[in-house]
Amino acid sequence: MRTYAGHTSAAASNALYRRNLAKGQTGLSVAFDLPTQTGYDPDHALARGEVGKVGVPVSHIGDMRALFDQIPLSQMNTSMTINATAMWLLALYQVVAEEQAEAAGEDPAAAVRALAGTTQNDIIKEYLSRGTYVFPPGPSLRLITDMVAYTVADIPKWNPTNICSYHLQEAGATPVQEIAYAMSTAIAVLDAVRDSGQVPAERFGEVVGRISFFVNAGVRFVEEMCKMRAFVQLWDELTRERYGVQDPKQRRFRYGVQVNSLGLTEAQPENNVQRIVLEMLAVTLSKDARARAVQLPAWNEALGLPRPWDQQWSLRMQQVLAFESDLLEYDDLFAGSRVVEAKVAELVEAARAEIDRVQQLGGAVAAVESGYMKSALVASHALRRQRIEAGEDVVVGVNRFETTEPNPLTADLDTAIQTIDHDVEAKAAEAVRRWREERDADEAGRRRVEEALDRLRDDARSGTNLMPASLECARAGVTTGEWAGTLREVFGEYRAPTGVSGSVGVTGEAAAADSELGRVRERVRATGDELGERLRILVAKPGLDGHSNGAEQVAVRARDAGFEVVYQGIRLTPEQIVAAAVAEDVHLVGISILSGSHMELVPEILRGLREAGAGDVPVVVGGIIPDSDARALRQQGVAAIFTPKDFGLTQIMGEMVDEIRRSRGLSTPSGAETIPA
């Protein structure tokens, strides 16, 4: 039983972990901030606005010590949601475990062998959804391979990679796509480990036995439960037939789950409680396909960062199910069900076909590099959005049953979510600078850092397993930014396909001339005629926030509405966004931010546009933005704010036309629909 947690600093997160453990949580699930996930120290320019926002910053071994102070790692089960820098965080974790054992007078090697937990370490889905990749797919797969080989030999209870389909569903994946792309990723990892020669053939079953999965469970809980039974069947089949694993225990499909956050609503957020419960049932009802670990979001995550009380509520949901209900006392409830068996067979057949399609393209890595999987997910997400906007998919409180009594839970929105101290980033930046200065003030310490980084660089070039060099970097006091920066020198960086240009948008009646989209398209055309040029908008994602699903859907719908769309993908600096807006001579800039860095980055973009002589270009912002922040941004010049409650993308397109017309001194056409800013 877990809650996904971490914020502000290592000390603050440690206090939160110890409180949660005292309340009955049975494992830890660590959220790292975006600079840590993408290999930057808090004082790096790209870390601006992101430090401590969506997780805890861990810059060096000192931070890892503080994070797990008074938490004995050899007795803990820890899940770390970390991917591109997973090897580095595991190295820090191991070294802290060794230090704890030494301080207790115990054998450090035994403590390491006792470590139990998981590093997510699934880079494929980062190129498709979350966006916290650093290196190209090839070197990234090598890092995973090295970790698998190392942990099988030295940390046998550790899950070195956790194939994560959770974010695929968040990016729009259907159940079939979620199964197929997760299995394709597993094939890529297992083939790479097998072909590396680092694990003897007779021990390959141990590799398979340490592979775990992390899935998503949506509110269509019968379909989601059948999806899990399909996963179990396909994994057993794949590991037996492709890899020859004979031990049924090693072929067991072991998975944890985070229930769906995509479906959490800002409107009537109290409805999220029953959604979370139904989604938890999807992965617990069927004993033959039951999750090994469950972590639940909080009811208010569509509003902002949950408070400790909100996390406690989600933990109590699990405890009521486990200890008050009788669900866990019975054998599988669905064995022999014709309905379930038929649905599972349908999912298995379709997933096999999609797996075969990916393999024909050259496997998961090739399907990432070609943009195939990304385009497929963007298209699926666009169709889902279309069904919601058309009312075909009902979302209670959003597109039906919208009337509501006043909600006491959100009566004061500014206190309904956790807030982060504004000086967190400055403190973290100063702390990491002080760490480097004090470390390097000692000649022997400075030389050890240099030698550790030289070894890391050389091993990266030679093909040697990188885990030993990373452990030496951890012991030497190397920082996260230094470790990742050294590997960037050797491996280079990467920009994944956006999936926007090749994806379908709205179709059929929704695109007809007399539809809402048709009317908006006509307004886009007419406004362009008045201005003598086609309307152009820039859709931009500043900072390290890689959750690009919303930005991609805006870009696709804007293209369908007749705009010329400039979308350059994730991880842009404010300066790059301003330069693109000026170079492309756009009529509007749309900023998408989900990480909470809007109060730092949006004002920089506004200031940059004014300094570049483009201060009259309207800027609209979308994301999870509390009301108080939205008011402040409007006062600074933002034309409109869109949050998760604004689910109608076509209406948003109409508002963008209005903002362009206002900025150019054009009257609003009679009868045009507008949305108040």
Side-chain angles (χ1 to χ4, degrees):
M1 298 185 185
R2 310 178 190 271
T3 52
Y4 179 51
H7 65 84
T8 306
S9 68
S13 298
N14 171 261
L16 176 62
Y17 295 162
R18 288 192 280 119
R19 284 201 305 273
N20 286 347
L21 290 169
K23 293 173 183 174
Q25 188 169 299
T26 56
L28 294 177
S29 184
V30 182
F32 295 98
D33 74 353
L34 289 173
T36 304
Q37 293 185 52
T38 52
Y40 295 106
D41 289 334
D43 59 344
H44 192 281
L46 279 173
R48 169 79 171 136
E50 309 283 14
V51 177
K53 287 284 173 58
V54 301
V56 56
V58 175
S59 303
H60 45 69
I61 190 66
D63 286 341
M64 191 64 93
R65 290 174 188 138
L67 186 62
F68 293 106
D69 182 41
Q70 301 179 59
I71 299 175
L73 298 189
S74 61
Q75 302 170 33
M76 186 52 53
N77 190 300
T78 303
S79 171
M80 294 191 279
T81 302
I82 195 72
N83 295 281
T85 56
M87 178 179 285
W88 175 239
L89 272 299
L90 179 59
L92 293 173
Y93 190 84
Q94 175 179 327
V95 172
V96 169
E98 292 170 346
E99 293 177 347
Q100 288 183 349
E102 290 172 355
E106 300 169 355
D107 179 13
V112 170
R113 292 190 66 80
L115 292 179
T118 302
T119 33
Q120 190 171 93
N121 206 21
D122 170 7
I123 204 66
I124 296 296
K125 63 94 176 55
E126 295 300 314
Y127 302 119
L128 301 176
S129 177
R130 283 184 77 244
T132 65
Y133 56 82
V134 175
F135 314 112
S140 295
L141 193 58
R142 175 193 165 183
L143 288 171
I144 297 172
T145 300
D146 286 355
M147 284 182 67
V148 172
Y150 176 81
T151 53
V152 165
D154 293 87
I155 318 180
K157 295 182 180 180
W158 195 265
N159 301 319
T161 185
N162 185 231
I163 308 301
C164 184
S165 69
Y166 172 84
H167 299 96
L168 301 181
Q169 188 179 122
E170 297 283 290
T174 64
V176 167
Q177 288 172 325
E178 186 178 347
I179 296 168
Y181 297 164
M183 288 296 169
S184 296
T185 298
I187 290 170
V189 170
L190 289 173
D191 282 2
V193 174
R194 180 195 60 196
D195 298 344
S196 75
Q198 294 190 65
V199 179
E202 63 273 15
R203 297 193 65 183
F204 198 75
E206 297 175 48
V207 173
V208 171
R210 295 321 308 170
I211 302 295
S212 62
F213 290 76
F214 189 72
V215 305
N216 203 326
V219 76
R220 292 173 56 83
F221 77 97
V222 174
E223 184 175 56
E224 294 292 321
M225 184 270 293
C226 292
K227 178 187 75 179
M228 298 320 306
R229 294 173 77 92
F231 257 128
V232 169
Q233 180 178 329
L234 281 169
W235 182 244
D236 186 77
E237 174 186 299
L238 173 70
T239 53
R240 184 180 64 253
E241 296 179 3
R242 187 180 182 97
Y243 301 107
V245 178
Q246 299 303 311
D247 186 345
K249 290 184 179 179
Q250 292 177 334
R251 297 200 308 268
R252 182 181 296 155
F253 185 80
R254 299 178 308 115
Y255 78 99
V257 64
Q258 159 87 19
V259 307
N260 190 294
S261 294
L262 178 67
L264 300 183
T265 63
E266 179 185 10
Q268 299 182 27
E270 66 275 10
N271 293 335
N272 294 329
V273 174
Q274 50 265 35
R275 291 185 180 109
I276 291 167
V277 172
L278 283 170
E279 291 162 353
M280 176 172 57
L281 286 173
V283 294
T284 54
L285 276 176
S286 173
K287 185 178 181 181
D288 291 348
R290 182 170 290 153
R292 300 289 293 271
V294 176
Q295 61 187 45
L296 303 179
W299 68 277
N300 56 348
E301 285 196 21
L303 305 175
L305 186 67
R307 301 158 299 186
W309 182 84
D310 306 313
Q311 293 190 338
Q312 175 183 296
W313 192 355
S314 291
L315 176 62
R316 295 294 186 245
M317 292 180 200
Q318 292 196 60
Q319 291 168 331
V320 168
L321 182 146
F323 299 111
E324 291 191 35
S325 85
D326 60 351
L327 178 63
L328 304 185
E329 298 172 13
Y330 294 93
D331 288 336
D332 194 274
L333 304 178
F334 302 98
S337 165
R338 292 193 302 272
V339 172
V340 169
E341 289 177 356
K343 184 62 178 178
V344 170
E346 173 191 322
L347 291 171
V348 166
E349 181 181 4
R352 281 199 192 110
E354 186 64 11
I355 292 168
D356 289 344
R357 188 173 296 112
V358 171
Q359 295 310 304
Q360 289 167 6
L361 292 171
V365 170
V368 165
E369 293 173 332
S370 70
Y372 168 76
M373 287 200 288
K374 181 65 173 178
S375 294
L377 294 177
V378 173
S380 293
H381 201 172
L383 292 173
R384 174 185 177 273
R385 295 282 316 203
Q386 181 182 337
R387 292 194 303 272
I388 292 174
E389 292 178 43
E392 297 170 15
D393 288 358
V394 174
V395 182
V396 174
V398 174
N399 61 2
R400 281 187 68 183
F401 314 113
E402 298 166 59
T403 59
T404 179
E405 296 296 326
N407 186 342
L409 291 173
T410 58
D412 184 355
L413 282 174
D414 292 338
T415 62
I417 57 173
Q418 179 88 6
T419 57
I420 302 299
D421 294 338
H422 291 298
D423 61 350
V424 163
E425 186 169 309
K427 288 180 178 177
E430 174 56 31
V432 76
R433 283 192 291 267
R434 187 166 59 250
W435 172 272
R436 289 192 296 257
E437 290 169 0
E438 293 176 358
R439 178 197 69 189
D440 296 345
D442 175 67
E443 178 62 25
R446 183 186 61 77
R447 189 164 56 250
R448 185 178 184 185
V449 167
E450 291 176 352
E451 291 172 352
L453 291 174
D454 285 343
R455 177 184 176 184
L456 180 69
R457 187 180 295 107
D458 291 344
D459 286 358
R461 288 173 176 151
S462 69
T464 302
N465 189 301
L466 287 167
M467 195 67 197
S470 296
L471 286 164
E472 174 54 25
C473 286
R475 297 182 181 112
V478 165
T479 69
T480 297
E482 291 169 334
W483 179 88
T486 298
L487 293 183
R488 280 184 171 96
E489 294 175 19
V490 180
F491 296 152
E493 293 194 70
Y494 185 71
R495 291 194 70 81
T498 66
V500 169
S501 60
S503 62
V504 299
V506 295
T507 57
E509 292 183 6
D514 60 350
S515 67
E516 181 185 17
L517 179 60
R519 291 190 292 272
V520 171
R521 186 186 294 120
E522 174 57 25
R523 294 185 59 215
V524 170
R525 185 202 61 76
T527 301
D529 288 347
E530 288 182 68
L531 296 175
E533 56 185 337
R534 187 179 177 189
L535 297 191
R536 289 180 300 282
I537 67 170
L538 171 66
V539 178
K541 285 199 65 62
L544 299 177
D545 171 28
H547 286 86
S548 59
N549 305 330
E552 290 155 2
Q553 293 308 308
V554 168
V556 170
R557 186 63 58 85
R559 184 190 64 195
D560 291 342
F563 289 104
E564 180 181 335
V565 180
V566 180
Y567 177 59
Q568 299 171 324
I570 64 172
R571 218 175 294 173
L572 300 175
T573 65
E575 293 78 11
Q576 289 172 321
I577 292 169
V578 170
V582 173
E584 299 289 347
D585 192 22
V586 298
H587 298 88
L588 179 141
V589 175
I591 305 297
S592 171
I593 299 182
L594 291 169
S595 65
S597 61
H598 46 268
M599 292 307 297
E600 291 83 7
L601 299 180
V602 173
E604 285 191 26
I605 294 168
L606 292 170
R607 184 167 54 252
L609 288 170
R610 287 194 296 268
E611 292 173 354
D616 58 338
V617 175
V619 174
V620 302
V621 180
I624 298 176
I625 301 173
D627 276 2
S628 57
D629 289 354
R631 290 192 296 270
L633 289 174
R634 288 192 187 98
Q635 289 171 359
Q636 294 185 50
V638 170
I641 306 286
F642 302 105
T643 65
K645 70 178 183 297
D646 302 304
F647 71 95
L649 286 179
T650 300
Q651 289 181 306
I652 291 173
M653 296 303 112
E655 171 68 359
M656 289 182 176
V657 178
D658 291 342
E659 295 301 340
I660 291 171
R661 295 185 68 84
R662 291 185 189 111
S663 70
R664 298 300 177 105
L666 302 177
S667 62
T668 302
S670 175
E673 297 178 4
T674 62
I675 300 173

